[in-house]
Amino acid sequence: MSMAPNPLSVEVSVVREDVALFTVQGDLDADTATEFQHHLANQLHHGRRHFLLDLSAVPFMDSSGMNIVLRVYQEARELPGSVHIISPMPAVRRVLDLTGVSITVPVSQSAEEALERVDSAHRT
């Protein structure tokens, strides 16, 4: 019995005019990172500056997925904007911690917490 690849599903919700919430399901790897990049680029193109990445249903992320997250983080910072990772699964959180990505890109437990971080950054 062969294991089928875990297809990627990305649901995009515009929370506010400049904030997009990406609910990602499936593996974020070399096979799916380009699709994820297209969703992010589309929202950048439409004027979103803040990106909330809900990774609670992503069981696996490799360097391809991390590179996409870091790339959108760099692009958002230049706007200026922000990227927030929400509720990564333990295996993904471990990769984020080991690589230092979680130091650079804030990790929140919920979309509400991430939105509060976006708002508090506007006040400073």
Side-chain angles (χ1 to χ4, degrees):
M1 180 177 196
S2 68
M3 287 184 46
N6 198 347
L8 189 71
S9 163
V10 180
E11 183 180 309
V12 181
S13 310
V14 177
V15 180
R16 294 198 302 241
E17 186 177 337
D18 62 345
V19 180
L21 170 63
F22 297 81
T23 304
V24 186
Q25 292 183 311
D27 293 344
L28 199 46
D29 57 20
D31 293 332
T32 60
T34 303
E35 178 184 346
F36 185 48
Q37 171 66 31
H38 288 308
H39 286 283
L40 294 166
N42 184 42
Q43 293 305 310
L44 270 169
H45 177 75
H46 285 93
R48 311 297 173 247
R49 299 183 309 126
H50 302 284
F51 299 84
L52 312 181
L53 311 179
D54 183 341
L55 304 183
S56 61
V58 175
F60 175 80
M61 181 168 69
D62 69 5
S63 60
S64 302
M66 273 190 309
N67 286 334
I68 299 300
V69 171
L70 289 172
R71 191 175 310 144
V72 76
Y73 172 80
Q74 290 293 342
E75 291 178 26
R77 279 192 60 191
E78 292 171 9
L79 292 174
S82 61
V83 174
H84 302 268
I85 295 171
I86 300 167
S87 298
M89 293 181 83
V92 172
R93 178 62 192 245
R94 182 168 161 73
V95 170
L96 294 171
D97 290 346
L98 287 172
T99 57
V101 172
S102 60
I103 294 169
T104 305
V105 182
V107 178
S108 301
Q109 293 307 307
S110 66
E112 293 78 16
E113 181 185 333
L115 213 50
E116 286 174 18
R117 288 180 170 194
V118 168
D119 291 342
S120 68
H122 281 294
R123 289 191 287 265
T124 59

